[in-house]
Amino acid sequence: MLRRVFFYVVPALVFIGCCSTATPDKQHVYIISTNDIHANIDAMPRLMTLVKEYEMQGDVLLVDAGDRVSGNAFVDDAPCPGLPIIELMNVVGYDVVTLGNHEFDNGSGALRDMVASSQFKTICANVDSSAKGVDFEPYAIVNVAGIDIGFVGVVGIDYGGRPLGGEAAYRDFTFTSDVDAALEWCITVDEKCDFVALLSHMGLDSDRAFAQRTTSCNWVVGGHTHDIVGERCGEVYISQNRKSLDYVTVADIEVVNGEVASV
């Protein structure tokens, strides 16, 4: 975990630097996060430009915390609802996303089609829909620049044990506790990874409640409540970028000799 890296790896690197003329192998991994895109296709070219700029500086991962649809008739009323934004996300180069409540708007069939068309990984730890042929892994691990970065995904169940929205949209799905699932799976991923991020569509209050209870997560990539947030809660950093690609958050992970040196 990053906290151990700060206390053990960084002093070791300083000591080695004093005794050797070897140049440290330094790399940068940039994780660009979005949330609540709400089908704002007009903003995708700006996002792609940003991604390309960071790709000239290091490795880039692009992640999203849910609600990619609901906000543009061209996207939402397409023959395959939601597909136009998925196609643009494929072009821009997303890597890992979680589910928001609006991903369920058109039921399991539309969600299955969106996932099948995605060239990125969709994860969610607190939803079960396997009976309808739509199954989600709780987490994904990406190896980049010699380190393992783990992502856990959750969707908020703030509406009677299910996400916000009409009950009919959720008839093919069952849900478990969002915060409890996040806590459980971050522990699992922390044991395997050098850096752990929670892709959360729970909302800011739940993100803070989670952060206060965990020592197994470095960053909560938040969404759902359309806040603009960049704050530290205990040992966890929480971010949220309002909506419609008004903003993004970029984590700059410096990797030295295969270890996380700073974020």
Side-chain angles (χ1 to χ4, degrees):
M1 282 294 297
L2 182 59
R3 290 169 290 282
R4 294 195 292 272
V5 170
F6 275 126
F7 286 103
Y8 294 100
V9 174
V10 174
L13 290 173
V14 173
F15 177 78
I16 291 169
C18 293
C19 302
S20 171
T21 58
T23 302
D25 180 14
K26 182 185 298 185
Q27 297 172 270
H28 286 268
V29 178
Y30 301 100
I31 307 177
I32 302 176
S33 76
T34 63
N35 60 271
D36 298 276
I37 294 173
H38 286 297
N40 186 9
I41 58 177
D42 293 336
M44 296 300 281
R46 290 190 292 114
L47 177 61
M48 189 168 186
T49 299
L50 183 74
V51 170
K52 295 298 184 184
E53 289 175 354
Y54 276 100
E55 285 178 341
M56 291 189 291
Q57 304 175 53
D59 294 294
V60 174
L61 297 176
L62 186 56
V63 301
D64 183 71
D67 274 8
R68 293 169 283 283
V69 296
S70 183
N72 183 307
F74 178 76
V75 174
D76 302 327
D77 297 335
C80 293
L83 190 58
I85 195 69
I86 298 299
E87 292 174 338
L88 284 174
M89 292 173 71
N90 289 339
V91 172
V92 175
Y94 274 83
D95 295 282
V96 186
V97 307
T98 196
L99 299 172
N101 53 289
H102 282 295
E103 269 68 68
F104 297 90
D105 283 353
N106 291 287
S108 59
L111 179 54
R112 182 174 59 247
D113 290 343
M114 284 192 288
V115 172
S117 300
S118 301
Q119 296 173 11
F120 44 86
K121 183 78 170 179
T122 303
I123 58 174
C124 193
N126 67 318
V127 59
D128 180 14
S129 57
S130 55
K132 291 295 180 179
V134 189
D135 202 9
F136 301 98
E137 297 295 330
Y139 66 88
I141 297 175
V142 180
N143 181 274
V144 58
I147 63 170
D148 290 319
I149 300 176
F151 298 97
V152 175
V154 288
V155 61
I157 54 164
D158 49 1
Y159 198 76
R162 58 177 170 80
L164 184 66
E167 186 173 0
Y170 302 104
R171 61 173 174 246
D172 294 330
F173 306 93
T174 58
F175 299 89
T176 59
S177 168
D178 45 15
V179 172
D180 288 347
L183 291 167
E184 174 187 353
W185 286 104
C186 281
I187 291 172
T188 297
V189 172
D190 182 38
E191 295 172 352
K192 308 171 185 287
C193 293
D194 304 289
F195 185 87
V196 178
L198 175 69
L199 306 184
S200 165
H201 203 79
M202 297 189 294
L204 183 56
D205 288 345
S206 294
D207 289 344
R208 287 170 172 163
F210 162 79
Q212 291 168 357
R213 294 174 59 187
T214 189
T215 59
S216 300
C217 181
N218 301 99
W219 179 21
V220 176
V221 177
H224 186 45
T225 45
H226 300 177
D227 293 294
I228 180 164
V229 178
E231 66 180 37
R232 184 163 294 280
C233 185
E235 297 186 10
V236 182
Y237 191 80
I238 300 174
S239 67
Q240 194 175 152
N241 306 306
R242 202 143 70 190
K243 65 175 183 175
S244 303
L245 289 175
D246 290 335
Y247 299 95
V248 303
T249 297
V250 182
D252 175 2
I253 302 176
E254 184 180 70
V255 181
V256 178
N257 295 329
E259 301 280 356
V260 176
S262 67
V263 181

